[in-house]
Amino acid sequence: MSELKELATVIRIHRKAANLTQLQLAELAGVGKTVVFDIEKGKETVKFLTLKKILKVLNIEIQLRSPLLDNQLIINEKS
Amino acid sequence: MSELKELATVIRIHRKAANLTQLQLAELAGVGKTVVFDIEKGKETVKFLTLKKILKVLNIEIQLRSPLLDNQLIINEKS
DNA sequence: CTTTTTTTACCGCCATAGCAGTAAATTTGA
DNA sequence: TCAAATTTACTGCTATGGCGGTAAAAAAAG
């Protein structure tokens, strides 16, 4: 399973857990319904900002990790 | 400091640590030099795939985190 | 079963991300 | 100091992401 398939799955699982339809999630995130569908389908070329809007609604954080980053930086925890 | 400023900073720090110029990083990632500059400047509307290409070169991993996923991690942790 | 809801899919349109080229600022380092 | 390297900053162009509308599958509810 590819990374973005996993991203798609993670989003779908969280959306279901939140008891939201794709349309509801899109509206809450302030994006078009097409994007939610595309992301859950595994589209790789979505805008990072758009993805973040959706992840925020679902309370999913993006964390950057690397050998250099001992303290992991959470980059979408606020705003 | 905004989230994406942090992302910009993380990328710059890793790029410097790898001793790469923006142009070299762009070429290694297979993207245009403009994008590397824009991201390090804090541009919020970069494509997720483009960002991933750059992060990959710098050996930075994107990790999704949420209460739901954390529980899963803890459950599966000591297998 | 039938009806309702949700998902999948496709459509044209618009806004813009990404591109190379260029050149000016800035930094580096010899 | 001063030349080279790098970064910053524009440009016009092309490709495409995101949009709502629509409607057919698919799933859920009754």
Side-chain angles (χ1 to χ4, degrees), chain B residues 48-65:
Chain B
F48 184 59
L49 179 59
T50 301
L51 179 60
K52 268 183 39 179
K53 287 180 185 173
I54 292 170
L55 293 180
K56 185 176 182 182
V57 170
L58 298 175
N59 196 29
I60 303 172
E61 181 189 349
I62 298 177
Q63 198 175 66
L64 300 181
R65 303 220 29 205

Side-chain angles (χ1 to χ4, degrees), chain A residues 63-67 69-70 72-73, chain B residues 14 59-63:
Chain A
Q63 206 174 54
L64 299 183
R65 304 208 50 192
S66 79
L69 294 169
D70 330 283
Q72 301 103 356
L73 285 172
Chain B
H14 282 74
N59 196 29
I60 303 172
E61 181 189 349
I62 298 177
Q63 198 175 66

Side-chain angles (χ1 to χ4, degrees), chain A residues 38-53:
Chain A
D38 286 344
I39 292 177
E40 287 194 7
K41 195 178 152 195
K43 183 176 183 178
E44 301 197 341
T45 52
V46 62
K47 277 190 231 174
F48 183 58
L49 181 59
T50 301
L51 178 60
K52 269 182 38 178
K53 288 180 185 173

Side-chain angles (χ1 to χ4, degrees), chain A residues 4 7 14 44-46 48-49 52 59-66 68 73 75-76 78-79, chain B residues 3 6-7 10 14 44-49 52 59-69:
Chain A
L4 269 146
L7 172 62
H14 283 73
E44 301 197 341
T45 52
V46 62
F48 183 58
L49 181 59
K52 269 182 38 178
N59 196 29
I60 303 172
E61 292 173 356
I62 298 178
Q63 206 174 54
L64 299 183
R65 304 208 50 192
S66 79
L68 267 185
L73 285 172
I75 65 172
N76 72 338
K78 62 157 191 125
S79 84
Chain B
E3 306 162 20
E6 286 193 35
L7 172 62
V10 166
H14 282 74
E44 300 197 343
T45 51
V46 61
K47 278 191 232 175
F48 184 59
L49 179 59
K52 268 183 39 179
N59 196 29
I60 303 172
E61 181 189 349
I62 298 177
Q63 198 175 66
L64 300 181
R65 303 220 29 205
S66 76
L68 206 57
L69 293 172

Side-chain angles (χ1 to χ4, degrees), chain B residues 1-63:
Chain B
M1 187 181 254
S2 76
E3 306 162 20
L4 269 144
K5 268 274 186 63
E6 286 193 35
L7 172 62
T9 302
V10 166
I11 287 178
R12 171 155 297 192
I13 288 172
H14 282 74
R15 179 174 63 80
K16 293 290 189 184
N19 204 30
L20 295 172
T21 68
Q22 290 179 341
L23 186 57
Q24 288 171 329
L25 174 56
E27 284 168 350
L28 286 172
V31 302
K33 67 185 177 3
T34 309
V35 174
V36 173
F37 167 65
D38 286 345
I39 291 177
E40 288 195 6
K41 195 179 152 195
K43 182 175 183 180
E44 300 197 343
T45 51
V46 61
K47 278 191 232 175
F48 184 59
L49 179 59
T50 301
L51 179 60
K52 268 183 39 179
K53 287 180 185 173
I54 292 170
L55 293 180
K56 185 176 182 182
V57 170
L58 298 175
N59 196 29
I60 303 172
E61 181 189 349
I62 298 177
Q63 198 175 66

